[in-house]
Every structure is written in C-alpha cells, then in structure tokens.
Amino acid sequence: MSVAHPIIAVTGSSGAGTSTVKHAFNDMFRREDIKPVVIEGDSFHRYDRQAMKEKTAEYEAQGKILTHFGPDANELDKLEALFKEYSDHGTGKKRLYVHDDKEAALYGHAPGTFTSWEPIDPDSHLLFYEGLHGGIITDQVNVARHVDLLIGVVPVVNLEWIQKIHRDCLNRGYSSEAVVQIILKRMPDYVHYICPQFTHTHINFQRVPLVDTSDPFIARDIPTPDESNVVIRFRNPHMADFPYYLKMLNGSFMSRANTIVVPGGKMGLAMEVVLTPIIHDIMARKQEHS
C-alpha cells in the first residue's frame, strides 16, 4: 500500500457489472480531477487467444483443466510486480488485450492478441485495476497486499451463470450446452481463486435477483437491475457512513451492522455515493504526503 502512489482494484468475473463499474469510476475520477492509469486484467493473461486454445487442448489431453480463472493461464507474478513498482515509485509497464475488430482497428493489432508493453504515464494520480485477480493471494503471489482500496463486484452465482450463457450464446455463437461445459470446467478455479478474493476486499457489491433463478440454465432473460437488489458489505463498518447512505439512496435499508441493501437500479449511484468520499480521502492523503 502507498500514500504517494495509491492503487484501487475492482475484482470480479466478467458479467459482474463491468459497464456500471467503469461508468461510476469514470464519473468519480472526472469530478475529482483524477488522472488514473487504467490496467485491464485481461492484459495479464499468459496466452493470446490462439495459444490459449492450443494450451487448453494440451492440458485436456493430460487430464488437466486450464482456465482464465486460475494462475496457470495468467502472469500473476507480473501483475504483483507492477502493483509493487507502482506503489513504490509510481512507475511500471502496461499493455492491452485486443478483444474484437473495433479494438483491432484502434490499436493496430489482431483480435485476440496483445499490444506491446509500454511505460505508464509518470504523471498519473493513481492506478486503477479492473479484472479477475485484483485481490488474489496464492502460495506464490500476494497481489492484495499492494492495494489501497479493494472492491469486489459479484452477482450471486446463478445470476452470473445466466449472464454468461446469454452473452456467450448471443455474442460468441456458442450453444447452451457448450457454455454449461465451460462453466463446469471453470468451477474448480472459480472456487479456489476467484471466491477467496471476496474475503480480502474492503467493500463488496453483490447483485441479488428478486426473480426465480433456481435453474439458471433454462432462464430466458437476464434479470434486470430493477428486478434485483445490491448487497453492499463493508469489511470494516467504521469506514462507512450508513446514515448518509440511507439518506442518499432511496429504498435502501440495513440488513446487518456492516451491510446495506439498495435497489438494483441504483447500483451505479450507490457506488458513487459510497466510494467518492473514500477516494477523496485517498487523494487528500496523497496531497498531504507530497
């Protein structure tokens, strides 16, 4: 952790509410006049898209499973090294993973490949990470120890499955059966490497559907935000201003001494209400240090 070079990490699997998170943080950074270095978790995958397919087949031939949730498919040592270097000196290198044709045209690299490593902006105010492993701790790495504000964003697992099935079938042309097989293959890594991170987070935002998702594999629609609640849990309730939250977030209520529940449609607003004062304090300490 660092007062001079703070790191904010949002950890959670894809489909957990990435667009809402990015929009909320963009708003906060703009209002607070913060210039972040943005690090995407995908950029620390070990293999490009084609190599990942080949390596996955190689693992399966050996009776093993390789997924992006686990350490074998990611360069977590480089991620921790970046966090440490940035925390110590405000420096480091970053690259991007090119997801589609639109990004390929923008960055000049084929979809499924990486851009070259480049130095990060030395005048940045903080590092902002969003991806799968912002709070991971294993026998080999401890990424979480370098993070000043660690946030978990995760839907309940049935909702996560529904979102993945709909996304992969609609956008990637997979069959429902193929997506179910992917979910099953990833489950051990999800249990061992994704879930434990949410015990290390300072704050968790968990979306909970208010409609029946008991069989996510036959669900026709993804529950909408208005058909959901968001459970916000603070590891340390002393960092929270619950009376302020209850006043600002209409329809919210306390479910435990460290937990507030808000309507799902207010998730983005809730993030801004909860996180803006915390980020403001982080920047104030940085200013005092300098």
Side-chain angles (χ1 to χ4, degrees):
M1 295 185 179
S2 171
V3 173
H5 308 292
I7 297 174
I8 298 174
V10 177
T11 190
S13 58
S14 56
T18 303
S19 59
T20 301
V21 172
K22 288 181 178 178
H23 182 74
F25 272 95
N26 285 339
D27 282 349
M28 287 184 281
F29 291 152
R30 185 185 66 252
R31 285 198 302 268
E32 296 292 317
D33 196 25
I34 294 171
K35 182 166 63 174
V37 170
V38 178
I39 302 296
E40 298 177 357
D42 290 352
S43 65
F44 284 86
H45 288 338
R46 191 177 301 275
Y47 308 106
D48 64 23
R49 188 173 295 166
Q50 182 58 39
M52 183 64 178
K53 290 180 180 178
E54 295 170 358
K55 204 68 178 179
T56 300
E58 179 183 320
Y59 267 57
E60 290 180 352
Q62 299 172 9
K64 299 187 294 184
I65 295 174
L66 181 70
T67 82
H68 280 133
F69 285 171
D72 288 356
N74 297 279
E75 297 192 290
L76 300 180
D77 54 340
K78 288 186 177 180
L79 178 61
E80 183 181 14
L82 170 64
F83 278 20
K84 184 179 188 308
E85 180 178 349
Y86 188 87
S87 183
D88 290 344
H89 308 292
T91 57
K93 291 185 177 181
K94 62 175 287 188
R95 66 177 179 180
L96 296 171
Y97 178 79
V98 182
H99 295 88
D100 50 35
D101 291 333
K102 183 178 179 181
E103 292 185 357
L106 185 62
Y107 300 119
H109 291 262
T113 64
F114 300 100
T115 63
S116 301
W117 291 101
E118 296 181 353
I120 61 176
D121 185 349
D123 297 322
S124 65
H125 296 146
L126 58 77
L127 184 150
F128 175 70
Y129 169 94
E130 191 270 323
L132 291 172
H133 300 110
I136 194 165
I137 299 174
T138 71
D139 293 338
Q140 286 74 42
V141 300
N142 186 338
V143 173
R145 64 180 169 176
H146 303 290
V147 180
D148 298 270
L149 177 60
L150 181 57
I151 301 161
V153 181
V154 55
V156 294
V157 70
N158 279 19
L159 178 55
E160 186 169 334
W161 291 345
I162 290 171
Q163 291 179 154
K164 178 166 180 59
I165 291 168
H166 278 252
R167 184 194 63 190
D168 285 5
C169 290
L170 182 64
N171 298 335
R172 300 179 181 178
Y174 293 178
S175 67
S176 297
E177 294 76 12
V179 181
V180 170
Q181 288 303 309
I182 293 172
I183 290 172
L184 292 173
K185 289 178 181 179
R186 299 194 314 180
M187 189 53 60
D189 282 346
Y190 185 88
V191 170
H192 289 108
Y193 300 109
I194 303 299
C195 285
Q197 294 182 76
F198 302 120
T199 65
H200 308 308
T201 47
H202 297 104
I203 307 171
N204 281 338
F205 292 82
Q206 184 176 43
R207 187 173 159 211
V208 180
L210 300 176
V211 295
D212 184 12
T213 61
S214 51
D215 187 350
F217 305 109
I218 64 168
R220 296 180 180 177
D221 301 297
I222 299 173
T224 66
D226 289 336
E227 295 174 326
S228 311
N229 276 342
V230 177
V231 177
I232 307 172
R233 189 272 297 174
F234 295 80
R235 189 174 71 187
N236 178 3
H238 296 295
M239 72 184 299
D241 186 350
F242 290 116
Y244 174 67
Y245 305 156
L246 293 168
K247 179 181 178 181
M248 293 296 294
L249 300 167
N250 188 38
S252 62
F253 62 91
M254 300 287 296
S255 62
R256 286 189 175 180
N258 66 341
T259 304
I260 185 170
V261 181
V262 304
K266 289 183 166 58
M267 180 174 174
L269 175 61
M271 286 186 164
E272 296 191 37
V273 167
V274 170
L275 297 174
T276 296
I278 298 173
I279 294 173
H280 181 82
D281 289 346
I282 289 173
M283 295 306 299
R285 290 194 296 270
K286 176 182 173 72
Q287 292 283 350
E288 292 173 1
H289 182 271
S290 61

